[in-house]
Amino acid sequence: MTSAEASEPTVSNYSPSTYAATHPDRPAVITSSGRTVTFGELEARSCQLAQALFSFGLRVGDKVAVLAVNDHRTHEIAWGLQRSGLFLTFINTHLTADEAAYIVNDCGARVLIISSALAPLAAALLDVTPDIELRLAVGDALPAGHDSYDEFVRDHPAIPLADEQEGSAMLYSSGTTGRPKGIRRPLSGLPFGSDAILVPMLAGIMGFEEGDVYLNPAPLYHSAPLAWSMTAHRLGGTVVVMERFDPDDCLDLIAEYRVTHAQFVPTMFVRMLKLDDRARGARDLSSLQSIVHAAAPCAPEVKRRMIEWWGPVIHEYYSGTEGGGLTWITSEEWLAHPGSVGAPAWGAIYICDDDGNVLPTGEDGVVWFGGRENTFVYNNDPEKTKQTFNERGWSTLWDVGHLDEEGFLYLTDRKLFMIVSGGVNIYPQEIEDVLVLHPAVADVAVFGVPDAEMGEQVKAVVQPAAGATPGPELAEEILAFCRAHLSHFKCPRSVEFTDAMPRGENGKLYKKQLRDAYWASPTSSSPT
């Protein structure tokens, strides 16, 4: 077995209840503002929520929607739902009321739990989520039409339900290529403490042990932050929760709490690398044992610089909430295969053309996962589910890439965003990887826009770094930088500037929002 391989977990007792019994005073959660929740407190509070929801009438397989900010209560809610055998749907707190209502309604939630800090959103959801039977607000301020979460759970016993079963997160895709889709798997029916799907990675490959400290810098409504932080709890570790990401604060927290493990997205790496040398060298980061990143493409030069800074402790994986398969790569493997996202750890990888034929090594095509059972469906969308699987039972996230001779996968781009200019395929990710290294570029999106002669031309939209002045001079400087590093046919024909890029806190760029503005009028190469 190579470091990129991981076996399926066996059923065992992976429950935070174990550590509530053996180490009740050990911190389970520490927030960046200093609030601490011990394992004993996490156990008691999550049990009270489970008991309260059972008394209300919820049973195994029912659904609960959650709109929660990153604070000291979020894991309490997640564990209360998980140990009740429920489907838990955490929702992006930055969505509009209409966007959030779509998910609340689509997931079939009977109960909605929302942070009182989101009071305006809570109020706006009242009239557009008519099937919600119970609305609970967590915090001091109580929005109209909501019951107090604390009062709801207060009188219930802090003991486990008689028949605790594992629940399941039914989270919604980010919607980078359309409306979010709920990813639902059947409940396992196994006793609470049996869900160990990420243990082979966090404990096995990354060496996480009881008492280690895991830093969570991202919103817990996303799949990976929620699942990985809960796995740290299953292994008896402390989770440091950042209420919002800030590069300076992140380094401070690593040093203060002697963080051993963490998961990041590439934009966080970029922001930390753009700190000055004094700031980057001011903290003791020697506690870091193993770091992982995922969720979005990482420019090779960014990753190389992170390995030079933090050492060969950085891992990467490629997967999706759908769970069809997973690749993994260590720092040492990446340095030998720069740009790769790894070899298969779960299942097998196949690269296929548009007709479903498996392509030879080195040729780009759609990436398909096979070789392991995958029973997810897109909630209420059988047609989308059907499109995601082929006749062999393989599934895809519609990414494009190729395999090298050793079986390492290299992602090229999302199929939707591939640019075809004059019959030539151009992949925006390659261009973005170059442009993000320019010191005046804070963030960048590259995509195709209509062109009467070539079909499409390459456009770059840039968010300038602090202190950079947008305008024709900077645009030409950025274009010259690109031409110095890439073939001219790949380089943008033009650059426009924006104050803020539509990038989620999960690191994913919602490029469709930018691209659609240019395609609204096929005769125009700029937004109208």
Side-chain angles (χ1 to χ4, degrees), residues 464-485:
T469 302
E473 185 175 338
L474 180 57
E476 186 52 44
E477 181 182 327
I478 290 170
L479 291 173
F481 180 83
C482 190
R483 295 183 193 115
H485 292 84

Side-chain angles (χ1 to χ4, degrees), residues 13 100 187 206 492:
N13 185 19
L187 294 175
M206 296 179 67

Side-chain angles (χ1 to χ4, degrees), residues 19-30 36-42 238:
Y19 309 101
T22 59
H23 295 84
D25 296 327
R26 175 185 294 162
V29 175
I30 303 173
T36 297
V37 179
T38 67
F39 271 94
E41 291 168 335
L42 182 66
T238 296

Side-chain angles (χ1 to χ4, degrees), residues 48-361:
Q48 281 187 298
L49 175 58
Q51 292 281 0
L53 291 173
F54 188 86
S55 293
F56 181 76
L58 266 62
R59 296 294 183 266
V60 169
D62 280 333
K63 287 92 174 176
V64 175
V66 181
L67 280 153
V69 298
N70 275 24
D71 65 14
H72 63 292
R73 308 297 298 274
T74 307
H75 280 99
E76 162 193 338
I77 296 166
W79 281 118
L81 303 178
Q82 182 72 27
R83 68 192 310 151
S84 301
L86 302 172
F87 285 102
L88 46 153
T89 297
F90 277 67
I91 301 173
N92 188 328
T93 58
H94 298 289
L95 297 181
T96 66
D98 286 344
E99 291 168 331
Y102 163 75
I103 296 176
V104 171
N105 295 329
D106 187 75
C107 77
R110 294 179 59 190
V111 176
L112 172 62
I113 301 174
I114 189 165
S115 297
S116 61
L118 304 171
L121 179 58
L125 287 173
L126 284 171
D127 293 333
V128 290
T129 53
D131 294 332
I132 293 296
E133 301 169 28
L134 175 67
R135 300 171 192 271
L136 299 172
V138 184
D140 297 330
L142 191 62
H146 293 70
D147 293 326
S148 165
Y149 173 94
D150 289 327
E151 290 183 8
F152 176 72
V153 304
R154 181 172 295 138
D155 296 331
H156 291 274
I159 59 174
L161 294 170
D163 181 22
E164 288 191 307
Q165 295 185 31
E166 289 284 358
S168 179
M170 184 171 73
L171 304 184
Y172 278 65
S173 66
S174 303
T176 55
T177 60
R179 206 161 198 184
K181 302 168 288 292
I183 299 159
R184 176 167 55 84
R185 294 180 188 82
L187 294 175
S188 68
L190 295 173
F192 181 55
S194 304
D195 186 347
I197 190 69
L198 293 176
V199 168
M201 271 64 69
L202 186 55
I205 298 174
M206 296 179 67
F208 191 92
E209 299 179 345
E210 180 182 347
D212 281 348
V213 181
Y214 179 89
L215 175 68
N216 180 82
L220 289 163
Y221 52 70
H222 288 303
S223 175
L226 185 65
W228 284 74
S229 62
M230 292 178 77
T231 301
H233 284 156
R234 290 183 185 272
L235 295 167
T238 296
V239 176
V240 177
V241 175
M242 294 193 71
E243 289 156 43
R244 57 178 297 276
F245 179 77
D246 176 87
D248 273 306
D249 292 346
C250 180
L251 299 181
D252 284 340
L253 291 169
I254 293 171
E256 179 179 358
Y257 294 109
R258 305 301 294 160
V259 169
T260 58
H261 297 71
Q263 181 165 184
F264 294 94
V265 296
T267 52
M268 295 173 181
F269 285 167
V270 171
R271 291 182 63 187
M272 288 188 286
L273 284 169
K274 288 191 174 181
L275 295 172
D276 61 37
D277 291 342
R278 182 195 59 78
R280 289 200 286 125
R283 289 86 160 185
D284 178 6
L285 308 181
S286 61
S287 62
L288 292 175
Q289 298 176 18
S290 201
I291 302 301
V292 69
H293 70 94
C298 185
E301 185 60 25
V302 169
K303 182 154 182 177
R304 192 181 303 279
R305 291 180 187 179
M306 287 300 302
I307 294 173
E308 290 172 355
W309 179 16
W310 285 2
V313 298
I314 298 176
H315 304 253
E316 180 178 2
Y317 69 88
Y318 163 65
S319 187
T321 306
E322 290 84 346
L326 181 142
T327 68
W328 193 276
I329 192 166
T330 66
S331 291
E332 293 84 358
E333 289 168 335
W334 188 89
L335 290 170
H337 303 266
S340 173
V341 294
W346 293 343
I349 297 287
Y350 304 94
I351 307 298
C352 298
D353 63 19
D354 289 341
D355 295 322
N357 301 308
V358 177
L359 294 170
T361 297

Side-chain angles (χ1 to χ4, degrees), residues 322-502:
E322 290 84 346
L326 181 142
T327 68
W328 193 276
I329 192 166
T330 66
S331 291
E332 293 84 358
E333 289 168 335
W334 188 89
L335 290 170
H337 303 266
S340 173
V341 294
W346 293 343
I349 297 287
Y350 304 94
I351 307 298
C352 298
D353 63 19
D354 289 341
D355 295 322
N357 301 308
V358 177
L359 294 170
T361 297
E363 288 195 26
D364 279 322
V366 176
V367 180
W368 291 84
F369 289 114
R372 70 189 296 264
E373 184 180 9
N374 191 18
T375 55
F376 86 89
V377 298
Y378 290 117
N379 196 52
N380 297 327
D381 198 340
E383 184 59 31
K384 179 64 179 177
T385 304
K386 181 179 178 182
Q387 293 171 0
T388 302
F389 291 88
N390 65 14
E391 67 280 357
R392 301 179 177 102
W394 303 346
S395 64
T396 184
L397 301 171
W398 296 109
D399 289 320
V400 174
H402 64 268
L403 295 170
D404 67 15
E405 293 183 352
E406 295 181 60
F408 283 80
L409 175 65
Y410 297 75
L411 295 179
T412 308
D413 215 321
R414 294 284 287 173
K415 186 172 179 61
L416 175 70
F417 297 129
M418 183 179 72
I419 302 166
V420 182
S421 183
V424 177
N425 293 345
I426 300 172
Y427 295 100
Q429 181 185 319
E430 180 184 16
I431 307 165
E432 291 165 354
D433 286 350
V434 169
L435 294 184
V436 76
L437 297 175
H438 191 286
V441 175
D443 204 354
V444 59
V446 174
F447 47 87
V449 297
D451 184 277
E453 180 183 359
M454 306 297 286
E456 291 182 88
Q457 65 169 257
V458 183
K459 165 74 71 175
V461 175
V462 168
Q463 178 183 331
T469 302
E473 185 175 338
L474 180 57
E476 186 52 44
E477 181 182 327
I478 290 170
L479 291 173
F481 180 83
C482 190
R483 295 183 193 115
H485 292 84
L486 289 175
S487 301
H488 286 207
F489 78 89
K490 297 179 181 178
C491 294
R493 296 278 298 277
S494 59
V495 175
E496 293 190 16
F497 296 96
T498 183
D499 293 333
M501 201 67 71

